[in-house]
Amino acid sequence: MRVRRGTWRWVALLGTLSLFLATGTPVWAAEPVTLELQAPEQLALGDKVSVTAMLKDANGSPVPAGTVILWTSGSFLSVGGAVQLGEAATDAQGRVTFTYEARNEGAVTLNAYFRGDSRYGFAQGSAAVDVQGSAQLTRHPIEGVRVPGIGVWILAAILGGVWSTYLAVMVFLTLIAREGRVPAHEALHGAGGRRG
Amino acid sequence: MEKVRDQRREDLVRTVLHPLVHTGKGYYMVVGALLLVVFWGLYAYSTQLREGLIVTGMRDRILWGFYIILFVFFIGISHAGTLISAILRVVKAQWRTPVTRMAEFITVVALSVGALMPMLDLGRPDRIPNLVLFGRWQSPILWDLLSITTYLTGSIIYLYLPLIPDLALCRDRLGTQGSAWKRAFFRIASVGWQGTARQKKYLKIAMGFMMVIIIPVAVSVHTVVSWIFAMSLREPWNSTVFGAYFVAGAIFSGIATIIVVMAILRKVFRLEAYITEKHFINLGYMLGGFTLIMMYFNISEYVVTGYKMAGETPFHFTQLLVREFAPFFWMYTIGGMVVPGLIILFPWTRTFTGVIIAAGFAMVGMWLERFIIVVAGLRVPLMPYEPSWYIPTWVEWSVMAAAFAMFGLIIAVFSKLVPVISIWEVAEQYEEEEGKVPASTEVSGRPPMRPARAEGAPGAGGGGGGTA
């Protein structure tokens, strides 16, 4: 079947329109921006420093009122993930400042990103920080009281005792059942039972 | 004289066995209504499974709600059953005999319903096996799992052992009156009980073991339940008396439940001749005693923490005594403890009806107590954030209604399956009263009644009882 050329035009137009509607924001309309993160390269454990992010457009002009999120990687109880450290909007100079406290020693990568808005596109930046020190400043709760000699085994012993009693009761139940297999008249008279 | 004695026992058997073979229209209506509520609860739970815990009122700040309240409530009820039964057996209280079976059965039913609640509280019930597979010995949740399964097993055994002679009686007396599966059930479950001397001896030893072991097991279970709270870093739960407080509360609410359930079954099955007002008054005395114990624990708890007013206590006390939780707290304190205590205290209110009213107040009060412990405890902020609030949704209300309906439903079904009164024990009590057998003879076998093996035995299951 031959399709008319005008039909294809309509299909292309509707397709583009639906794509436009589906994505919400036409990506080609966003202006490119850069996000530069500035942080001291060397820090001592426990230092509190300012970390600054600069958001600029393609011409190097500051982008004000852009929301910037600062994050780093972290782990808690062996579950790793991104830890958000702060969120703030850029000022008239396209600048946003966060306070960062170095709590863990070693190499730390600080990351920031600008999600983009109706005018500007997505941008991200990062800065490597080397934290030096000999102790962790994150607090670990003190362990509870430990009574020498009392551990899991005592729980197991108590439970074992209770279940052994149940088992003993089951044995008596088996004996009752075995006794019941004997014909009633024998059981009652032979075993000296009393029929009430 | 002998004839009168036999007649008395025959009446007992007829009345108690009657509900097993005669079922009225009202029974089916009640069971149907309960089933409807249970199905509605299942539908609500399926909504929760489909859409997640977001359909409940629980959020990250108040993360426990009705399910955990019901868990503590039902586990509490379960304690009284076994404890009352075991303690009364151990001290050989004569009046216990018509009460113990119901108490033991309430234990098993309440424990089964209560144990379901934490599972409903999980957003991902498929992860329940992880509790066993990856459980940590240091976790009170694992202790809870172990203690509840141990207690449930023990309670089932403890319910079953004294049932054996009565099951044998059903096997022998009901004959063809029951359905085929019921007859098979009686035959298998009575494990060939003939009432021989050896069988009696074995049963006596087994029951002796169980009545002693079940008391510490029951106490440990509610202590461990309290530790789920007391071992968490929450200001209102920082208490060293929580274990004892929970055990006392459990027995208190359990006695109240036994009184209410017993009153219903007594009325429905027309057991007035066996469960007399005396039994209610005696249980009322126990209820009154535990009212005093509960008051003591409450005073001890609140006066000590209130005197120090450390940490978040001022916030907790304000919300409890004069702000958000004040209506619940005062309803619990006055309605749940003072009113039942006063009803039992005065001779003119300490009547059959009075005891039932006191028990009703106590039950509602103890549910509110659990609500206060769980929700008010979690509402105290751990960090400087705005205190949250818990508003249960229709899903939680429905599941709660279904839980109570299931409790009633299982009791209704049980009452049609086995005698709700321990016939052989009551018969034995008759013997002791008549001075026929020395008091030391604990376990008799087949009750001293006409041993008719009885298709068509006169009166077997006929007459005497109500058609419920």
Side-chain angles (χ1 to χ4, degrees), chain A residues 85-115:
Chain A
L85 300 173
E87 178 179 331
T90 53
D91 60 13
Q93 282 76 47
R95 187 170 48 208
V96 59
T97 304
F98 301 97
T99 301
Y100 170 68
E101 184 182 358
R103 291 187 182 184
N104 293 302
E105 65 174 332
V108 177
T109 304
L110 297 175
N111 307 284
Y113 70 88
F114 168 62
R115 197 180 283 121

Side-chain angles (χ1 to χ4, degrees), chain A residues 42-123:
Chain A
Q42 295 272 333
L43 282 177
L45 200 61
D47 280 354
K48 267 187 188 175
V49 294
S50 293
V51 176
T52 308
M54 293 287 294
L55 188 64
K56 292 175 183 174
D57 64 12
N59 303 320
S61 304
V63 175
T67 303
V68 175
I69 291 157
L70 182 72
W71 65 277
T72 189
S73 298
S75 67
F76 178 71
L77 294 175
S78 73
V79 178
V83 179
Q84 186 173 323
L85 300 173
E87 178 179 331
T90 53
D91 60 13
Q93 282 76 47
R95 187 170 48 208
V96 59
T97 304
F98 301 97
T99 301
Y100 170 68
E101 184 182 358
R103 291 187 182 184
N104 293 302
E105 65 174 332
V108 177
T109 304
L110 297 175
N111 307 284
Y113 70 88
F114 168 62
R115 197 180 283 121
D117 54 25
S118 56
R119 183 173 167 189
Y120 299 106
F122 173 84

Side-chain angles (χ1 to χ4, degrees), chain B residues 301-312:
Chain B
E301 175 71 14
Y302 290 116
V303 168
V304 170
T305 47
Y307 188 82
K308 291 185 286 187
M309 278 292 177
E312 298 299 327

